[in-house]
Amino acid sequence: MKPGAAKRMRLAGMIRKESLQILRDPSSIAIAFVMPVVLLLLFGYGVSLDARKVPLAMVVEQPDASTASLIGAFRHSEYFEPQSFDSIQTAQQAFDLHEVFGIVWLRNDFSRRLLAEGDAPIGVIVNGVDANQARITGGYIQGVWQAWLADYARRHGVKLRAPVMLEPRIWFNAAVRSRNFLVPGLIAVIMTLIGAMLTSMVVAREWERGTMEALMVTPIRIGELVIGKLVPYFLLGMGGMLLSVAMALWQFDVPLRGSFWVLTAASALFMLVALGMGLLLSVVAKNQFVAGQVSIVVTFLPAFILSGFIFSIGSMPEPIQWITYLIPARYYVAILQSLFLAGDIWPIVLSNSAALLVMMVIFLGLARRKFHKRLDA
Amino acid sequence: MDSTAALVFEDVSKTFAAGGLSVRALDHVSIKTRPGLVTGLIGPDSAGKTTLMRLATGLLLPDSGSIHALGIDVLQRPLEVQSSVGYMPQRFGLYEDLTVQENLDLYADLQGVAPADRPARYRELMHMTGLAPFTRRLAGRLSGGMKQKLGLACTLVQPPRLLLLDEPTVGVDPVSRRELWAIVYRQVRDEGMSVLLSTAYLDEAERCDDVILMHAGRRLGQGTPASFSEPMRGRSFHVTAPSLGKRSLQTRLSGVPGIVDAIIEGEQVRVVTSAAGLPALPDIPDLTTSAAEPDFEDAFIAILKGDQSGATPAAATLDSHRVAQSAADKAVIEVRDLQRRFGDFHAVKAVSFSVQRGEIFGLLGANGAGKTTTFRMLCGLLPVSAGEVHVAGLDLRHAAARVRGRLGYMAQRFSLYADLTVLQNLRFFASAYGLNRRRSKQRISWSLDAFELEDYANARSADLPLGYKQRLAMAAALMHEPDILFLDEPTSGVDPLARREFWQHINALAEAGVTVLVTTHFMDEANYCDRLVIMAEGEVLAEGTPADMKARCRSKETPDPTMEDAFIALIEAHENTRKASAA
Amino acid sequence: MNTLQRILALAVKELLAVLRDKKSRFVLIGPPIAQLIIFGYAATFDLNDIPLAVYNEDRSVPSRELVARITGSPHFQLVATIDHDGQIAPLIDNRKALMVLHLGPRFSENLKRGKPAPAQVIIDGRNSNTALLTLGYLRTIFTDFNIAWAREHGTPPPPAILKIRPWYNENLLSRWFIVPGIVGLLTLVVTTIVTGLSVAREREAGTFDQLLVTPLRPVEILIGKSVPGILIGLIEGTFILLMAIYWFEVPLRGSLGALYLGMFLFLLSAVGIGLMISSLAVTQQQGILGAFLFLVPAVILSGFATPISNMPEFVQQLTLINPMRYFLIILRGVFLEGDSYALLFNQYWPMLIIAIVTLAMAGWLFRHRMN
C-alpha cells in the first residue's frame, strides 16, 4: 500500500472511532449541547446588571401637590417601586433590614425651596454596599428627578438655568440592556469551557483506560492522532456554538448586526484555540481527574473574570491587564460583542482574530510537541 | 548483532524516578529470543517485565544499552518497529464503547490492512477466538476472558512477525487461559510468528518453549522449562505426618535448616531442599517421605531464595488470642439459600454452606461466578435478597454492627489509607474498633513486632513495598483479634515468596482457632484450604476438601489431576448440562 | 464514650488524609489564593481611564475648560482629538474610544448669552454597564462645571441640585463589595469539595469497604466526615477574613461573633450538600462534577457579583434555597453596615433549616446507597 493511502486510512479510522465514541457517550453530547443551554439560561437570567423595580422609601414630611407628583414620577418609572413612610426613623429601619434600597426624604419646606438656588430640599440615601448597583440606581434617580423638575418648571413657567446641557446618545444599545452585552460574552465563556473540557477529558481518558498504550504501538503518527481527535470534537463544539447563537438571538433577543459567516469563522478559530488548550492540558496531565480540574481552573475562571465579559479590562490594575492578553477568551469576547451589537467592524475582527490565530498555533504546536509516542517523555 | 534473533537486548538499564526515589526497573539486562518460538518472561511483580516490553516497542527509552527487534534498531527507528511488531499491553486498550467489529476495523485501519484482505482475516480471527457470534456486541459487555481474546485479535489483525504479550492471562479464568494459549500456539505454527509472553503464573512457564527468568530488574536465567526444573531432581519431596496435621507439619518443616521451601499440597507438604537429598527431619512418629516430580515453581523458589539473603520471618502468632469457646462445636458461618438479585440479574442463586471454627474455607470461581457477591454479603457490605446468614452465631440482618465487631476483613487491593503513615493507620483502626487506650497500645506494638513493621512505622503507607503493604493490611484486620477473618483475593499481584509468607500467617491464625474465609483465583492456593466451594453463575458446583475435588475428575488421561484440572472439568461439565437443558 | 472516640478517630484520620495528600493540599491552598487575588483586584465595576475622544469645534476658553475638567478626572483619559464628523464612528466602532465629546461651534457663544449650550456625548453601548457608569461620571462633572460657571459669571447657580449620599460605602468602591463576598465564595468551594470527595476518594481507594466492616455506624461515619470539612472551612474563612481586613483594607464595622455564627451555620449547610454529593458519587470524577454542578449556580444565584433583585421573579424564588445568599448578606452586613445578631436573625434561621434538611438528606442517602 502507498504511504499516502495508509495515512488516509489511519486518519479516517481515528475519526470514525472518535465519532462513534461521541455518539455512544452521552457525556460528551451533554457537554456540547446540554451544558450551553443550561449555562446560558442560568447566566442569562441569573446575571443581570439592569436594576428593575428598586424599592425606595419615600418620606414626605409635608404632603402636598408637588410631593405627590414627584412620588408619581417615581412610581411611573420602570426602575422604582416607591413605598411611603411617615418618618425618617421608620424608613431607616426598613433600610437597615434591606427592605428598601434607598431613601428619598422630602423635607417640610420642599415645595417652597424647590426652585431656589443650590441644593434641592430633598435628601437621597442609597445603600452603597454594592457600589455598582448604587451608582446605577443613583443615575436612575437623577434621571427621574431631572425629568420631573424640567416638567415642573415648565408647568410653573419657570426657566431652568443649566448653562451646559448634557445630551447623551448611546450607540449600539440604546435601551442600555445589560443582557445584550452579557449574552455574547457568555458564549465565549461557554465555548472555552466546552472546548477545553471535551478534549482535556478525551485524551486523558485514553491514558486512563490503557487504550493509549495500544494506540501508540500502531504505526499511527502523532500528527494523525491529534487531527483524528480534533476533527470530531471540533464539529461537536461548533454544533454547541450554533445552538448558543440561536439561543442568544431567539431566547434572549440579542440583535446580530454583523454577518453570520464572520461570526462562524471567528468561532471556528476560537474553537480550535480552546480545543488546543484542552489537548495541551490532557497531554500534560494524562489523568482525567487532574485534567478536568485544571481545565476548570485555568480556562473557566479566567474566561469568566479576565476576558472583559463582565468586568472591563481597562479598569484592572496594570499587571492583571497584562495577564488578560494571555486569555484567548478576551479576543473572542471583543469579536462577539462587536459582531452582535455593532456589526462587522473589520479592524476589531481582524486584529483579534490574528491574536487567536497566534494562540492556536502556539497551543496546537505545543500539544504536538509535548505529545510523544513514548510513555516516559 | 545476531540477525536470527527476534528480539535482542544488550546491556539495557532503565531507571524511573518516583516520589524522589529512583527505582531501577532494569539493571544491565541482556536477552536474546529465538525466532519462531514462544518465549516466556517469568518473574514476580516489579521484576521489570512490563518495562522490558515497553522498551522493546519503543514506548520507553533506555538509560543505556541497545535494543533490536526483528533486526531493527528500536532507538533509531521506533515507527518502523511499531509497524512490524504486535504488542498487547497488560490492560489492553479496547474501546469499550465500540463494538467488537468496530474495534477490529479501527486496528485494521491503523495497521494498514488492505480492505480487500479484511473479510478473510476477520473470519479467521473471529473463528479462532470464538467471538464470531458477538461481533455486534459492545466490547464493554464482553466477559473478561472474551475481552482478552478480542485484544489479542486486534493485535493480530495484521499478522506481526514478533508478538509481545504482557501478562495476557492475568485475571482470566482457567478455561479462557487455555484458549488464549491455544491461539498463541496456532499463530506460531501457522504464521511462523515469534512470541514473547510475560506471566506471573509459574505454572504457565511450563507451556513455553523457552523461559527467561527475571527478578528485581535482573535476568536470573534463560532456558527451556525443563532446564530449570531438571536440576531440581532429587530436591523435591512430599512429606506427610497424619498425627501432626498438615499445618503443624509445614510449620515444623519450614524451620529445618536445608529446607528452602515447605508448602501444603493437598494433604501433603511439599518440601524443596537446598541440596540433593533430605536433611535431618524432626522426630515425628508417623512421618513418611517420598520423592516428588520437580516442577518449575520449585526451581523458581530455589533460585529466588538463593538470590535473596535472609530467612522469611516467622509466622505471626496471636498473643492471648481468645476465641469464644462456646461456639467451638457450632458452625461459625452458616449460609442457607442465600440469594442476591441486581434488578433482573440473579447474581447469587440459593447458595448454602457452613464453615466450622478454625477452618480455612475457600470460595473459588471464575470472574462473574458470584463469589465476590457472596463474600460481600457475608461481611455485611451488601444486603441479602433472600436466605439466611449467621455469622458468629448472630443473624447478620439484625446485629450487623455486633457482627462487624467480631470479624476482620482484608480487601482485594491494598486498601488502607495510602497517605497516612503505618502508625496512623494502625491507630485509626484501633479506635475504629473501639479498643481502649491500654489495649490499643498493646495491640499496635504487637502488630509492629509480629509483622516486622517497626522500621516503617512512620513511613507513608503508599511508599511501602508491596509485601509490607500486605502485612500492614493484615495487621489492621487483626487489630481487634477477630474470631473470623475474611480475605478477598488477598494474594493477587503478590510475588510467590510474599504469598508463601502470607499463607504462613494464615495457617498460624487457623491453628489458633480463627476461622478464615478466603476467595482466590490461584488454583494452587486452593490447596491450602481445608474445604472449599467452586461457584459458577451464582451456583455452587461442588463442595468438599481439595482432595475430594481432585478425586472427582481423576481419569485414565489425568491420573494425578491438579486443582486447575478439577476446576476446568467442573466448569465444562456444568456448561454441558446447561447446553443440554437449553437444547 | 465509644461513639465519641470512634468519631474523633475518624475525624483525625480525615484531616490527616486531606492534609497529607499533595493534590488535596493544593486544592486547599492554590486556587483560594489565586482567586482571592484575581477577584480582589480584577473583579471591579469601577471604571478608570475611560478612553475619551474630544471633537471641539468651539475652541474657546470655556469649552477648553470643560474638556480639561473631564480629562483631568481619574476616570477619563484623552486618547484622541478629532476635527470632523467622519472620525467619530471609526473611533467608537473600533473601541479606540468609549465616548466622544462633541461641542458645537456655537457652544461658548450660547453659554455666554445664557442660552442652553448643548454638549453632545456619544457613548459605546456595547457594554451597557460601562455606558451607564460613564454617563454617571459625566453628569457629576457637568453639574460641577455648571455651578462653577455660574459662580464665576455672577449668574445664579442652577436650582435643585440633587446630591445622592451612598451609605456604608461612601466612595462606592467595588472592592468593598466583592472582597467580603470572597470569604463566602471560597469557604463554600473548599468545604463542598473536601466533603464532596471524601467518600468517593475512599470508594476509589477501596478503603470504604474496610471502613464499613468496622463497628462504625453510618451516622458516626457521617459525623466524622463533616467535622474536618467544617474545620477546614473555618480556617480557610478566617484566613480570607484576615486578608480582607489587613490586605484589602475593607472596614469591619459589626460584630465578629455574629459573622462567625453565620459562618458556622453556612458551613453546616455546605457540609450537608457536600455529603449529599459524596453519598451519590462513586468516583472522584463524579464528585468533582457534582460539586461543579452545585457550585456554579450557587455562586451565580447568590448575589455575589450581580444583585438578586435584578433577576426574574421565578429565579429570585429559587435563590431562597441557596445558603450562600444568606451568608453574603451577613458578611456584607457585618463588614460594611455594622450589623449584629438581631438584624441578621432573618439570615440565620433559613441557613439553619437548609443545614438540617441537607444533613438529614445526606444521612438518608448514605444509608440508602449503602444498601
Side-chain angles (χ1 to χ4, degrees), chain B residues 194-467:
Chain B
S194 313
V195 178
L196 179 68
L197 179 151
S198 74
T199 178
Y201 292 104
L202 296 181
D203 52 337
E204 291 193 334
E206 317 225 9
R207 295 180 174 168
C208 303
D209 298 319
D210 199 29
V211 168
I212 297 169
L213 187 59
M214 303 254 322
H215 181 64
R218 285 182 299 131
R219 195 201 75 154
L220 294 186
Q222 181 171 3
T224 60
S227 74
F228 281 98
S229 51
E230 216 36 52
M232 298 303 292
R233 196 163 287 285
R235 290 170 61 184
S236 305
F237 301 91
H238 280 138
V239 182
T240 55
S243 67
L244 206 57
K246 55 186 180 182
R247 291 210 183 94
S248 307
L249 177 63
Q250 183 212 15
T251 315
R252 294 276 291 274
L253 289 176
S254 9
V256 174
I259 289 184
V260 186
D261 187 32
I263 57 165
I264 292 171
E265 203 174 82
E267 294 310 301
Q268 306 163 319
V269 175
R270 187 188 185 95
V271 164
V272 177
T273 60
S274 55
L278 271 171
L281 293 179
D283 193 20
I284 299 161
D286 55 351
L287 189 95
T288 56
T289 62
S290 61
E293 186 66 18
D295 60 17
F296 184 80
E297 182 163 349
D298 293 342
F300 181 85
I301 297 295
I303 292 172
L304 244 53
K305 282 215 176 149
D307 188 56
Q308 235 178 20
S309 50
T312 48
T317 48
L318 297 182
D319 71 336
S320 69
H321 199 276
R322 306 148 295 155
V323 175
Q325 291 300 319
S326 58
D329 39 86
K330 259 180 89 181
V332 174
I333 301 173
E334 182 85 64
V335 177
R336 226 171 304 139
D337 287 330
L338 183 66
Q339 298 192 34
R340 174 70 207 188
R341 278 178 228 99
F342 296 101
D344 294 339
F345 176 58
H346 220 138
V348 173
K349 311 168 193 163
V351 165
S352 304
F353 58 83
S354 65
V355 183
Q356 307 298 316
R357 193 175 82 86
E359 228 178 4
I360 300 182
F361 191 86
L363 278 177
L364 261 75
N367 292 333
K371 62 178 192 307
T372 303
T373 310
T374 307
F375 188 83
R376 291 174 68 82
M377 284 192 281
L378 294 185
C379 0
L381 287 173
L382 202 64
V384 172
S385 298
E388 272 180 58
V389 183
H390 288 269
V391 174
L394 296 165
D395 188 333
L396 198 61
R397 273 177 299 189
H398 301 124
R402 275 177 66 200
V403 171
R404 288 205 300 268
R406 294 181 56 183
L407 58 87
Y409 171 84
M410 224 176 117
Q412 193 166 350
R413 293 182 295 155
F414 170 74
S415 56
L416 297 182
Y417 298 98
D419 290 305
L420 267 54
T421 65
V422 168
L423 208 55
Q424 284 166 342
N425 264 303
L426 291 175
R427 277 199 199 121
F428 169 66
F429 281 100
S431 307
Y433 280 109
L435 303 192
N436 64 33
R437 190 180 296 269
R438 193 182 57 82
R439 189 86 192 107
S440 96
K441 221 170 159 180
Q442 201 180 339
R443 291 298 297 165
I444 289 171
S445 78
W446 169 82
S447 303
L448 292 177
D449 184 51
F451 293 97
E452 298 185 350
L453 287 163
E454 287 102 336
D455 294 345
Y456 291 100
N458 290 313
R460 230 168 66 104
S461 310
D463 300 336
L464 294 180
L466 196 68

Side-chain angles (χ1 to χ4, degrees), chain C residues 86-117:
Chain C
Q87 286 171 306
I88 298 177
L91 274 172
I92 298 272
D93 285 352
N94 299 338
R95 293 194 145 178
K96 293 273 183 286
L98 188 79
M99 60 159 280
V100 176
L101 173 69
H102 180 198
L103 301 175
R106 298 162 62 88
F107 176 78
S108 57
E109 198 188 313
N110 284 336
L111 200 58
K112 280 173 190 153
R113 286 193 187 163
K115 278 186 178 176

